[in-house]
Amino acid sequence: APQLTGDFGILMGWVDNYRKLKVRTNADTPNDSRVAREFGAEGIGLCRTEHMFFEADRIAAVREMILSDDVEGRKRALAKILPMQKGDFLGIFREMKDLPVTIRLLDPPLHEFLPQDDKDIDALAKTMGVTAQTLKNKVDYLHEFNPMLGHRGCRLGLTFPEIYDMQVQAIMEAACELTKNEGFTIVPEIMIPLVGVVSELARLRENTVRVCEEVIAAYGVKINYLIGTMIELPRAAITADEIARQADFFSFGTNDLTQTTFGLSRDDAGKFLPFYVESGLLEEDPFVSLDQNGVGVLVKMATEKGRATRPGIKLGICGEHGGDPSSVIFCHKIGLDYVSCSPFRVPIARLAAAHAALEEAN
Ligand code: PEP
Ligand code: MG
């Protein structure tokens, strides 16, 4: 495993005496969590849960859940996934010891979970006891023209509340079990993605609190938890003062915030953005370096509005920009509490955070 040893290790030790920003990591496996900790990560700022649902042992149950016509069918399918999902979080919490872990509830473009071919549809139709044609019609119905602007993030959690309930149950069961049996002190940070309207967060918060309290009562342990949201839509940034009423923390999802502010698809931008940068229309690729005149203004505005409503609100960034040095310096300047980046960028982020603090002192 990588370690920061020798002169570089010593340098990074010095660096940490100066920086004020915390540096967390984006990780969704125990292995990534371990690597990031060895690089000095002080927690997980974004644990995405999408990949977990694609694991070979559960994708069939996931499809069954999405294509079920009723709550009971969805709950049956989710019951198969729950023990595996709980295992995911046990593994990550154990690696992170008592460091903070922010787990984001499911945020896929829905179509990625749909069965891809006739063979998959036939097999699924048999398990579900319906005809292949019925399932095909359902798959067609769920098709979207713009999935990244569609039925994803919290919208999915609102239309299929059972999914988030299952995830929250898995998170809290893992945390309670480790607290009760292995002496951990875990404060799970449960994060709701793609909120644009405070009422979305209010309803999902209510559901989340209900499930958390049920699990805590069942285990008979005392543990705390936080419920927060991603700020990754311009509307969320503009109304951050309202959203903060329902959020213990904000994490800026600057990948989606850049996509939606520029109206520029993050998946297709490679086709013409290089031309923009080469020919000087843009100074930098805004998906790499935070556009401080545009997206950054929204981030700063949301920081101020969030703190105006809730002075102690915890603020971080978990888009790719969290590992880009000039963006990290910007995050320091506007007073975020932490940046979160992929494990291998943690040392760079630590350096940039120290650089920002030293620059300020001079
Ligand atoms: C983001 O949008 O910046 C983010 C961190 O979430 P994701 O990349 O998973 O959409
Ligand atoms: Mg996002």
Side-chain angles (χ1 to χ4, degrees), residues 5-158:
T5 53
D7 291 347
F8 192 49
I10 294 171
L11 171 71
M12 294 308 287
W14 288 343
V15 152
D16 287 345
N17 294 332
Y18 292 99
R19 70 186 161 87
K20 298 199 188 91
L21 263 184
K22 295 263 181 200
V23 177
R24 296 198 194 181
T25 191
N26 295 355
D28 55 21
T29 63
N31 193 51
D32 278 358
S33 309
R34 183 175 334 113
V35 169
R37 257 172 50 89
E38 282 159 4
F39 279 144
E42 297 162 295
I44 292 181
L46 173 62
C47 171
R48 295 182 168 98
T49 55
E50 293 74 56
H51 287 160
M52 300 166 181
F53 282 65
F54 286 108
E55 299 270 323
D57 57 0
R58 55 189 114 164
I59 183 66
V62 172
R63 288 177 174 155
E64 188 183 330
M65 183 256 309
I66 284 169
L67 294 168
S68 288
D69 268 326
D70 56 8
V71 181
E72 287 318 310
R74 289 203 285 279
K75 285 195 174 158
R76 264 197 309 278
L78 285 163
K80 298 182 205 170
I81 303 169
L82 175 67
M84 298 180 239
Q85 178 85 108
K86 180 175 166 187
D88 298 325
F89 301 134
L90 281 171
I92 290 168
F93 286 146
R94 280 202 181 99
E95 278 305 333
M96 295 311 286
K97 310 282 188 264
D98 287 335
L99 293 174
V101 175
T102 306
I103 296 167
R104 182 180 71 189
L105 302 183
L106 192 65
D107 173 23
L110 193 61
H111 70 101
E112 288 184 10
F113 287 134
L114 296 175
Q116 304 300 326
D117 56 30
D118 285 353
K119 203 171 105 262
D120 284 349
I121 292 188
D122 286 342
L124 203 58
K126 278 213 187 81
T127 337
M128 294 175 65
V130 296
T131 68
Q133 192 55 50
T134 308
L135 274 196
K136 271 191 197 136
N137 294 345
K138 187 91 197 250
V139 169
D140 286 344
Y141 170 73
L142 289 173
H143 170 82
E144 293 175 295
F145 288 102
N146 277 318
M148 289 302 273
L149 295 177
H151 198 177
R152 57 174 285 222
C154 67
R155 300 161 191 163
L156 196 72
L158 287 159

Side-chain angles (χ1 to χ4, degrees), residues 26 46 48 50 104 107 148 152 230 232 252-257 266 318-321:
N26 295 355
L46 173 62
R48 295 182 168 98
E50 293 74 56
R104 182 180 71 189
D107 173 23
M148 289 302 273
R152 57 174 285 222
M230 313 240 340
E232 51 185 345
F252 291 98
T254 47
N255 304 330
D256 274 305
L257 192 59
R266 60 194 269 194
C318 64
E320 286 303 308
H321 306 85

